[in-house]
């Protein structure tokens, strides 16, 4: 298993997470973009999102065992565009469980068909590649993949806000690991005396289940084996 570099703790109205100052803040609302805040458990603070597609991305970041933490609008970089120097602020910076970082742009597929948008992102990608920095564009095609998106939202909200420690989870699995696979309903009953729940084990990457069908009490859980704790990938081949 990868070891997370840092884990925030969300405790109701008293979060204990990182202090983050966004590199770019919206001065006044424009268009029909829905803006909001999300109570991130991984970061232990409220995370801003601009638009519902960014919120979809946040749910995947929160539930992926390969992502240890993330920041919105983390920094502003300068990149060359012909003979001009332009500025760009990525939507997110991910801290992966391996300690690596990835800058992320969240964009609707239809917007990528615009020539100016495509040219801008190509210039940014080329600049970051020369700087040996990982840059990934996530679109609605992967972020809104169903029923995965709905399933991961359900798992996130069913897991307790204050989750058991990784040590406690592993002790429980040492005791009951040989009984898997089992249903979510049975695992909930079996693990309850140890104050462990199957949803926390899924989010920790210690268990996995099929995300291609709607999750219910009869969904079968399997024990994760080996060193790869990614039971789903957001960007295949990019480390998360």
């Amino acid at each position: 298993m990868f070891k997370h570099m840092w884990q925030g703790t969300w405790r109701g109205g008293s979060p204990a997470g990182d202090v983050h100052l966004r590199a770019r803040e919206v001065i006044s609302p424009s268009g029909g973009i829905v803006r909001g805040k999300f109570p991130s458990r991984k970061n232990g603070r409220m995370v801003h999102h601009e638009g519902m597609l960014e919120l979809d991305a946040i749910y995947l970041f929160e539930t992926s065992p390969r992502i240890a933490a993330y920041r919105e609008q983390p920094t502003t970089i300068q990149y060359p565009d012909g003979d001009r120097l332009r500025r760009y602020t990525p939507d997110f910076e991910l801290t992966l469980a391996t300690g690596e970082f990835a800058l992320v742009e969240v964009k609707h597929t239809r917007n990528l068909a615009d020539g100016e948008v495509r040219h801008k992102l190509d210039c940014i990608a080329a600049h970051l590649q020369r700087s040996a920095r990982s840059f990934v564009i996530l679109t609605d095609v992967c972020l809104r993949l169903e029923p995965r998106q709905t399933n991961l939202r359900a798992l996130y909200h069913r897991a307790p806000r204050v989750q058991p420690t990784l040590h406690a989870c592993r002790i429980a699995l040492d005791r009951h690991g040989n009984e898997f696979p089992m249903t979510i309903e049975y695992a909930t009953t079996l693990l309850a005396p140890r104050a462990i729940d199957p949803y926390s084990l899924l989010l920790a990457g210690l268990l996995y289940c099929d995300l291609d069908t709607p999750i219910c009490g009869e969904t079968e859980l399997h024990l994760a084996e080996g060193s790869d704790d990614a039971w789903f990938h957001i960007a295949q081949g990019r480390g998360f």
Side-chain angles (χ1 to χ4, degrees):
M1 293 291 175
F2 291 117
K3 182 178 180 181
H4 288 179
M5 301 295 290
W6 180 81
Q7 184 80 16
T9 302
W10 185 268
R11 298 183 180 276
S14 302
D18 66 329
V19 177
H20 173 53
L21 181 64
R22 290 177 289 163
R24 177 180 64 83
E25 296 204 25
V26 178
I27 304 301
S28 60
S30 61
I33 297 176
V34 178
R35 297 178 173 88
K37 298 178 182 179
F38 183 88
S40 169
R41 298 175 191 170
K42 282 192 174 179
N43 300 301
R45 63 174 176 84
M46 300 298 289
V47 171
H48 294 75
H49 66 85
E50 295 188 30
M52 300 307 293
L53 191 58
E54 286 193 9
L55 180 60
D56 293 329
I58 285 173
Y59 272 106
L60 268 61
F61 299 161
E62 289 283 334
T63 51
S64 171
R66 279 185 172 250
I67 298 173
Y70 59 95
R71 298 188 300 156
E72 73 279 29
Q73 296 161 358
T75 186
T76 296
I77 64 174
Q78 292 184 317
Y79 68 95
D81 180 3
D83 59 355
R84 301 189 62 178
L85 197 60
R86 300 185 185 275
R87 294 165 64 86
Y88 166 68
T89 302
D91 292 322
F92 296 99
E93 179 187 61
L94 309 182
T95 302
L96 305 186
T98 57
E100 299 171 289
F101 296 90
L103 297 177
V104 169
E105 174 73 14
V106 173
K107 193 71 73 179
H108 283 276
T109 304
R110 63 177 181 269
N111 294 337
L112 295 178
D114 182 281
E116 290 186 7
V117 172
R118 187 73 259 179
H119 172 75
K120 172 185 175 180
L121 292 175
D122 286 344
C123 290
I124 293 167
H127 170 70
L128 291 174
Q129 185 176 27
R130 289 191 295 269
S131 304
R133 300 179 72 179
S134 178
F135 177 63
V136 182
I137 300 172
L138 299 180
T139 70
D140 50 305
V141 173
C142 70
L143 295 177
R144 290 181 170 169
L145 182 65
E146 291 292 356
R148 185 182 72 173
Q149 173 68 223
T150 297
N151 282 336
L152 291 175
R153 285 186 179 226
L155 293 176
Y156 179 82
H157 288 295
R158 290 173 186 172
R161 286 194 175 186
V162 181
Q163 296 181 19
T165 65
L166 189 59
H167 178 68
C169 290
R170 285 175 171 160
I171 289 177
L173 288 181
D174 285 343
R175 172 65 177 82
H176 299 289
N178 61 346
E179 300 177 54
F180 284 88
M182 67 178 71
T183 66
I184 288 180
E185 184 176 17
Y186 182 72
T188 300
T189 301
L190 179 69
L191 299 171
R194 296 179 175 271
I196 302 295
D197 65 282
Y199 308 108
S200 294
L201 296 176
L202 286 164
L203 297 185
L206 298 174
L207 297 178
Y208 70 91
C209 67
D210 181 12
L211 292 174
D212 293 331
T213 57
I215 287 177
C216 64
E218 295 304 309
T219 295
E220 197 168 75
L221 301 176
H222 299 265
L223 195 66
E225 298 179 358
S227 59
D228 188 352
D229 59 3
W231 56 292
F232 71 93
H233 292 87
I234 303 173
Q236 187 74 37
R238 303 304 296 270
F240 64 95

